[in-house]
């Protein structure tokens, strides 16, 4: 159990209710935030209040990974720098839908700082790495961020054929691009 979170179960009849306590809580609006210069992408985000920015380990981690809730819907992600001394959290369409939220709504966000080195590796990738010792050795030397990018690339594949193509992408990224999926994609695979 993470020391920053306290989980406990309250017995109610035949089931247990789990309550999670988070270190940080605030209210803020969901706003549109544009990223990019030549080609802008638009996201729905919540900005971290300045008083909480001072409490985050941004000196050590430029992006601080968190676990939390937005309007009681679980979220996992990172506080991202906006380039103007502010930090934002992307609110996914699935969270907006589950919480019945839209642009301009004020939300309550609760969160705790997550393990910054944790990487959730999908079973398909874990099995592939176990079968390829040289790739596993390179994987072990990658930063958690590069590992997360590769794991996410494989985990988002829904069909078996797509997973296999993405495992081939991982193999090529590890072999020729030091595990850097972005550089590989920019090079055109």
């Amino acid at each position: 159990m993470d020391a920053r979170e306290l989980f406990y179960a309250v017995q109610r009849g035949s089931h247990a209710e789990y309550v999670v306590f988070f270190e940080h809580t605030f209210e803020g609006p969901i706003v549109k935030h544009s990223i990019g210069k030549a080609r802008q992408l638009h996201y729905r985000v919540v900005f971290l209040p300045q008083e909480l920015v001072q409490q985050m380990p941004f000196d050590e981690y430029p992006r601080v990974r968190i676990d939390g809730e937005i309007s009681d819907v679980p979220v996992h992600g990172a506080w991202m720098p906006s380039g103007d001394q502010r930090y934002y959290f992307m609110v996914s369409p699935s969270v907006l839908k589950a919480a019945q939220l839209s642009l301009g709504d004020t939300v309550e966000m609760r969160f705790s700082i997550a393990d910054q080195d944790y990487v959730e590796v999908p079973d398909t990738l874990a099995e592939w790495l176990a079968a390829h010792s040289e790739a596993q050795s390179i994987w072990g030397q990658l930063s958690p961020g590069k590992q997360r990018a590769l794991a996410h690339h494989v985990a988002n594949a829904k069909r078996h054929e797509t997973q296999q193509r993405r495992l081939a992408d991982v193999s090529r990224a590890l072999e020729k691009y030091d595990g850097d999926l972005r550089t590989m994609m920019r090079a055109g695979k």
Side-chain angles (χ1 to χ4, degrees):
M1 179 180 347
D2 186 342
R4 292 179 296 249
E5 297 180 10
L6 174 64
F7 294 87
Y8 71 89
V10 177
Q11 293 296 328
R12 289 199 179 159
S14 62
H15 77 284
E17 178 182 317
Y18 293 93
V19 180
V20 180
F21 292 94
F22 295 104
E23 293 175 293
H24 307 285
T25 302
F26 69 93
E27 288 187 359
I30 296 176
V31 298
K32 182 172 146 182
H33 181 61
S34 300
I35 300 170
K37 292 184 175 137
R39 188 178 127 228
Q40 286 204 338
L41 302 173
H42 308 286
Y43 296 100
R44 305 293 186 258
V45 305
V46 174
F47 279 96
L48 184 64
Q50 265 324 110
E51 61 270 14
L52 291 178
V53 169
Q54 307 309 317
Q55 298 175 32
M56 300 294 112
F58 291 122
D59 290 340
E60 187 176 354
Y61 303 101
R63 294 169 184 81
V64 175
R65 301 190 62 72
I66 63 163
D67 294 316
E69 297 175 341
I70 293 178
S71 295
D72 299 323
V73 175
V75 295
H76 310 282
W79 288 113
M80 307 289 287
S82 65
D84 61 359
Q85 308 282 324
R86 296 184 306 159
Y87 293 84
Y88 63 90
F89 184 88
M90 288 188 211
V91 184
S92 71
S94 61
V95 170
L96 291 171
K97 184 177 180 180
Q100 299 179 336
L101 297 168
S102 59
L103 187 65
D105 288 347
T106 297
V107 298
E108 180 181 29
M109 183 164 186
R110 297 178 290 274
F111 69 95
S112 290
I113 297 171
D115 177 353
Q116 301 301 296
D117 294 332
Y118 177 74
V119 178
E120 187 171 339
V121 179
D123 291 342
T124 308
L125 179 56
E127 292 166 6
W128 183 85
L129 287 168
H132 297 86
S133 60
E134 189 173 321
Q136 189 171 32
S137 174
I138 296 168
W139 173 272
Q141 297 171 18
L142 297 178
S143 69
K146 285 184 179 179
Q147 289 178 351
R148 265 192 293 279
L150 293 169
H152 183 73
H153 187 61
V154 173
N156 280 348
K158 292 177 178 67
R159 296 183 15 222
H160 177 74
E161 297 81 15
T162 307
Q163 283 183 347
Q164 295 308 305
R165 276 196 313 274
R166 292 192 178 176
L167 286 172
D169 288 346
V170 168
S171 176
R172 184 170 159 89
L174 291 173
E175 182 181 318
K176 297 187 178 189
Y177 294 94
D178 295 323
D180 193 332
L181 186 62
R182 277 189 198 172
T183 301
M184 184 189 85
M185 294 300 203
R186 285 183 188 135
K189 294 186 187 182

